[in-house]
């Protein structure tokens, strides 16, 4: 059987996969079986499905390099792979923790790893469907790590929005994430900036403190994109008596100070142009945020 698995007759791949599933259902695969399947995958059969029955015995160091190939499988096959990875072996535990799974999904570069963006989005959605595994604490851990990635992953803001939809109690944590993004000058990352503004709008009035941390030109961009934010934000400044704590330009934007209109700073329109230019490209805003 090892000889057949090592070099299967043409057209027998489906049968080999079924044999592997049977062999690994109730016991860990032998070292020889693992070697034979790895050889098959690396030499003749570049289909990661063949590796799924063995994933529970793979260490993290072996799962991570093939993870993009697993995400590129059909949704059902990816779910099977995910179950094996999270199950792990009795000796070593899971190959990846749930938080590490989410981080690995976000680390995929659709262009470089040749995985369609929709497959990466579907993989994220598959995780969110398992609320008892991908819990609020797991999401906090993963997002805390991802926000410090350089660059911040393309789907980061989409996942923050999904996390808050799934667990509304995360709102204070999410406000902390948005504040960190202001410090990282999120407006210089057009696709993420769109998600930032969308989430800030959806979470008002909780997001007002964060919006007031924005530099005046970026606050103006936000209020131009979501005009009905302006009166609510102005009322918030009045209620909290923040007039002495905010820059004069910010107060001017909110209608508290009447000054001659200055020429717009060059960055703001450039940011908008960049955002518009990327929205229809693969990985554009409509594809990411729906």
């Amino acid at each position: 059987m090892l000889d057949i698995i090592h070099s299967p007759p043409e057209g027998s791949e489906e049968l080999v996969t079924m044999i592997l599933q049977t062999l690994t259902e109730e016991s860990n695969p032998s070292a020889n079986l693992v070697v034979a399947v790895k050889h098959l995958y690396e030499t003749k059969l570049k289909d990661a499905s063949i590796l799924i029955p063995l994933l529970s015995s793979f260490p993290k160091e072996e799962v991570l390099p093939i993870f993009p190939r697993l995400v590129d499988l059909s949704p059902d096959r990816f779910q099977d792979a995910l179950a094996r990875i999270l199950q792990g072996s009795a000796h070593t535990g899971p190959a990846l923790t749930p938080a590490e799974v989410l981080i690995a999904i976000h680390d995929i570069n659709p262009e470089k790893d040749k995985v369609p963006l929709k497959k990466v989005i579907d993989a994220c959605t598959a995780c969110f469907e398992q609320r008892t595994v991908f819990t609020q604490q797991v999401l906090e851990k993963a997002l805390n790590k991802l926000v410090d990635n350089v660059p911040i992953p393309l789907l980061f803001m989409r996942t923050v929005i999904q996390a808050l939809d799934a667990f509304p109690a995360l709102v204070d944590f999410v406000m902390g994430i948005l504040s960190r993004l202001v410090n990282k000058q999120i407006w210089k990352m057009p696709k993420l900036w769109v998600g930032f503004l969308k989430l800030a709008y959806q979470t008002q009035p909780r997001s007002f403190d964060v919006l007031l941390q924005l530099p005046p030109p970026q606050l103006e961009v936000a209020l131009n994109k979501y005009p009905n934010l302006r009166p609510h934000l102005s009322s918030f400044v009045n209620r909290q008596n923040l007039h002495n704590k905010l820059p004069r330009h910010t107060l001017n934007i909110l209608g508290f100070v009447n000054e001659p209109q200055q020429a717009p700073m060059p960055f703001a329109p450039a940011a908008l142009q960049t955002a518009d230019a990327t929205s229809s490209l693969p990985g554009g805003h409509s594809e990411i945020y729906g």
Side-chain angles (χ1 to χ4, degrees):
M1 191 173 290
L2 281 176
D3 286 343
I4 292 170
I5 291 170
H6 196 273
S7 186
E10 196 170 333
S12 63
E13 293 81 4
E14 196 74 29
L15 177 61
V16 169
T17 302
M18 290 172 66
I19 291 170
L20 288 173
Q21 286 171 343
T22 303
L23 289 174
T24 56
E25 259 171 18
E26 295 183 7
S27 61
N28 290 329
S30 68
N32 287 339
L33 181 60
V34 172
V35 168
V37 175
K38 282 182 181 175
H39 177 268
L40 175 61
Y41 174 70
E42 289 163 6
T43 57
K44 292 187 178 179
L45 189 63
K46 293 294 184 181
D47 181 354
S49 296
I50 200 76
L51 299 173
I52 291 175
L54 309 180
L55 288 174
S56 54
S57 66
F58 277 23
K60 181 197 298 190
E61 297 72 27
E62 292 185 9
V63 170
L64 287 177
I66 60 170
F67 199 79
R69 305 280 61 83
L70 299 172
V71 169
D72 198 24
L73 296 172
S74 68
D76 288 348
R77 288 286 170 92
F78 174 70
Q79 290 274 25
D80 292 342
L82 191 57
R84 295 270 184 164
I85 289 168
L86 292 170
Q87 166 196 335
S89 70
H91 301 298
T92 60
L96 300 176
T97 65
E100 288 171 334
V101 165
L102 273 173
I103 290 165
I105 291 171
H106 286 78
D107 282 344
I108 294 172
N109 181 322
E111 215 168 288
K112 181 181 158 195
D113 294 318
K114 296 182 170 53
V115 181
L117 179 63
K118 187 179 184 310
K119 288 279 186 78
V120 185
I121 290 173
D122 288 346
C124 279
T125 302
C127 295
F128 275 96
E129 287 169 356
Q130 299 185 43
R131 299 279 179 90
T132 56
V133 177
F134 293 89
T135 61
Q136 180 174 322
Q137 291 73 25
V138 165
L139 289 165
E140 284 184 15
K141 190 171 183 180
L143 294 173
N144 248 333
K145 169 77 170 56
L146 290 168
V147 74
D148 287 328
N149 275 20
V150 180
I152 298 173
L154 176 67
L155 292 179
F156 178 74
M157 285 311 308
R158 186 182 197 279
T159 300
V160 175
I161 292 169
Q162 275 187 299
L164 193 55
D165 284 344
F167 300 100
L170 277 172
V171 65
D172 288 336
F173 170 80
V174 166
M175 292 307 107
I177 290 284
L178 293 185
S179 189
R180 287 160 74 180
L181 291 171
V182 171
N183 292 333
K184 293 173 185 289
Q185 300 186 322
I186 183 72
W187 52 88
K188 292 184 178 177
M189 311 166 204
K191 293 174 188 175
L192 295 171
W193 175 231
V194 169
F196 176 97
L197 293 179
K198 179 176 181 178
L199 185 54
Y201 178 74
Q202 289 176 346
T203 54
Q204 60 176 305
R206 301 296 285 272
S207 61
F208 286 167
D209 281 322
V210 176
L211 286 168
L212 291 172
Q213 293 169 29
L214 289 170
Q218 282 69 49
L219 177 60
E220 192 155 24
V221 169
L223 298 181
N224 287 340
K225 184 167 179 63
Y226 294 103
N228 68 353
L229 269 177
R230 194 182 303 266
H232 297 300
L233 192 56
S234 299
S235 298
F236 175 79
V237 170
N238 272 333
R239 285 196 309 275
Q240 301 295 320
N241 200 19
L242 299 174
H243 307 78
N244 295 330
K245 298 178 181 176
L246 296 173
R248 189 172 181 83
H249 194 174
T250 297
L251 294 172
N252 183 33
I253 290 167
L254 293 173
F256 293 115
V257 180
N258 291 320
E259 290 182 345
Q261 191 67 34
Q262 296 178 348
M265 292 183 68
F267 175 75
L272 289 178
Q273 287 165 12
T274 309
D276 290 342
T278 55
S279 60
S280 61
L281 298 175
H285 313 137
S286 56
E287 195 173 356
I288 295 170
Y289 300 109

